[in-house]
Amino acid sequence: MISFKKRVVAPVCMIGLLAALASGCRITYLDEIETEPDETTTAAAVETVINFAYSDDKYTEYFKMCEKEFENTHENLDIVLDRLDTSALLTEITGNNRDQSTLYDVYMTDSSNLRMAYLQGVAHANTSEDFTAVNYCDTALNAASVNGTLCGYPLSYDTTFLAYNTAYASGADNFATFEKLKAFSDSFEVSEELGTQLVQHIFTSDVANIFYNYAYFGAYISLGGECGDDPGSVSICNSDTISSAVSFLSILDYFGMDTSADDEKCLSDFVSGFTAATIVSTDDLATLMDSELACDFCAFPDYDASTRTAPLSITRVIAVNSYSPDLAMAEQFAHFCTFDKAQTLYEKTYELSCRNNMVSDPRLENIYESYAKSAIKTKLVYGEQAYPLIEIAIHNISKGGSSVSELSAVDTKLEGKLK
């Protein structure tokens, strides 16, 4: 609260003035006399408070920076950061609107929660002209949309992509498709002279974890359509996913992949130089960038020119609470965190911005291509139940299970349950 004192000139009464003149005394005028402020003439500045909720501690430094810079350019504004437990965040936001406790004006959440937030009236429409295909890929905009309305501000994403050792191969074109990766494998020479004597595998991938194995079928799985919010668009077993299963098994066989190798094993072998190329996730970036390994990245490879893949992606968005008493300011802060400061997000968090062309390292920009082709996490109610079922089905297929039986069983279990 800003307070100030009013300085006034004290008037000298006429009687005093005449008396002074009559006596020949010098008149002294008091220029400044402190008085108590007059309530009728004092304009007290009203402070605006924007409460911001988030749950992931890795963003704390970034949001503190945003808080400080935004407050410095807006008078009488206080941004209050509050880190909540992930499981309780949305409940806190909707519940606090009703019981009049702390009302969160702005909050960060996964896009998979956005439909529920929108239906409960706590996700206000994003009408900024900056959030278009000029600055964001369709994946980011679809993740932040519900029922055709953009109601979130895309912040960052997680997905999987291919990392390759540049000492063994140069040029991402070698890894654009698995057909090209096979051709690279056929011409690969293991020799001490070429420095490739350590290589034990050309390609590895975790095929048991949903975040890594989803891509092999993801281009043709539908869990709510492009925006993940359509209950009428759910399909796991179809002719395209059956075809993908054939290609998937071919990859496993060709590269002699160990189906028991998890993501940590694949990453460790790659960093040690034992593997030419492997599938990694954005969570692995810190390890890869801090290592001494010479590597580059590219999008998750398609099978060939006609059969696509689509890795799973998780998009974090910032949403504005429709109940906020300061909607305009809340919208400005959401815009500031996601658009204006996008270029500094990676250096503070090791997380990649949903806004395109926001990284100085071209290797990181290649990862954006994998995000752009990815399948967003569903927003459907009970949609979380689908992923363990799909994970198990793909794992069973890798072990020799019938693709038709495994995938159709998932459809059967999900039928009528996703809302």
Side-chain angles (χ1 to χ4, degrees), residues 167-281:
Y168 304 151
S170 60
D173 187 60
N174 286 311
F175 309 100
T177 67
F178 282 111
E179 285 303 307
K180 290 187 175 182
L181 187 54
K182 287 179 180 179
F184 167 76
S185 178
D186 290 340
S187 62
F188 187 80
E189 295 183 32
V190 177
S191 71
E192 187 171 347
E193 182 179 353
L194 295 174
T196 59
Q197 71 276 11
L198 292 176
V199 177
Q200 300 173 2
H201 308 282
I202 295 297
F203 173 73
T204 62
S205 173
D206 182 342
V207 295
N209 185 312
I210 186 64
F211 202 59
Y212 294 83
N213 67 18
Y214 189 91
Y216 296 102
F217 296 76
Y220 307 108
I221 290 174
S222 180
L223 289 171
E226 287 188 344
C227 294
D229 60 356
D230 180 6
S233 180
V234 175
S235 175
I236 310 299
C237 185
N238 53 62
S239 59
D240 289 321
T241 54
I242 298 302
S243 296
S244 294
V246 175
S247 299
F248 172 59
L249 292 172
S250 173
I251 294 299
L252 296 182
D253 179 63
Y254 184 88
F255 292 106
M257 292 168 61
D258 179 2
T259 56
S260 65
D262 62 15
D263 58 295
E264 292 184 1
K265 169 66 173 173
C266 293
L267 178 63
S268 176
D269 284 353
F270 178 71
V271 172
S272 299
F274 299 149
T275 307
T278 190
I279 299 299
V280 295
S281 79

Side-chain angles (χ1 to χ4, degrees), residues 21-22 28 91 93 98 109 113 125 147 157 203 216 226 242 250 259 267 288 304-305 331 353 369 375:
L21 288 172
T28 301
T91 302
I93 291 166
R98 293 189 293 270
T109 187
N113 297 322
N147 296 346
Y157 65 88
F203 173 73
Y216 296 102
E226 287 188 344
I242 298 302
S250 173
T259 56
L267 178 63
L288 291 166
D304 51 41
E331 289 174 328
S353 172
E369 296 178 13

Side-chain angles (χ1 to χ4, degrees), residues 260-388:
S260 65
D262 62 15
D263 58 295
E264 292 184 1
K265 169 66 173 173
C266 293
L267 178 63
S268 176
D269 284 353
F270 178 71
V271 172
S272 299
F274 299 149
T275 307
T278 190
I279 299 299
V280 295
S281 79
T282 42
D283 280 345
D284 300 323
L285 273 177
T287 299
L288 291 166
M289 300 301 281
D290 292 342
S291 73
E292 297 180 357
L293 182 73
C295 63
D296 205 342
F297 314 124
C298 63
F300 199 109
D302 286 329
Y303 286 115
D304 51 41
S306 60
T307 308
R308 297 179 292 114
T309 61
L312 184 63
S313 66
I314 298 172
T315 302
R316 280 167 292 278
V317 301
I318 289 182
V320 173
N321 190 339
S322 302
Y323 290 93
S324 171
D326 298 289
L327 267 176
M329 189 63 71
E331 289 174 328
Q332 288 179 48
F333 185 62
H335 186 286
F336 186 77
C337 292
T338 55
F339 186 85
D340 298 339
K341 302 304 295 181
Q343 200 160 13
T344 63
L345 179 65
Y346 177 75
E347 67 184 61
K348 294 290 184 182
T349 64
Y350 265 126
E351 297 292 312
L352 296 172
S353 172
C354 291
R355 184 180 173 190
N356 57 26
N357 301 314
M358 285 294 107
V359 287
S360 56
D361 190 328
R363 294 180 298 169
L364 299 178
E365 195 60 43
N366 293 339
I367 300 172
Y368 197 83
E369 296 178 13
S370 207
Y371 176 56
K373 66 177 286 187
S374 70
I376 67 173
K377 194 176 177 185
T378 185
K379 302 183 184 81
L380 297 179
V381 179
Y382 305 120
E384 289 284 350
Q385 297 180 8
Y387 296 107

Side-chain angles (χ1 to χ4, degrees), residues 397-417:
I397 291 171
S398 74
K399 295 293 188 179
S402 164
S403 57
V404 175
S405 298
E406 293 292 340
L407 296 176
S408 60
V410 177
D411 270 334
T412 300
K413 291 176 182 177
L414 295 179
E415 188 175 359
K417 292 183 179 179

Side-chain angles (χ1 to χ4, degrees), residues 8-23:
V8 296
V9 176
V12 181
C13 69
M14 184 61 67
I15 295 176
L17 177 60
L18 292 175
L21 288 172
S23 64

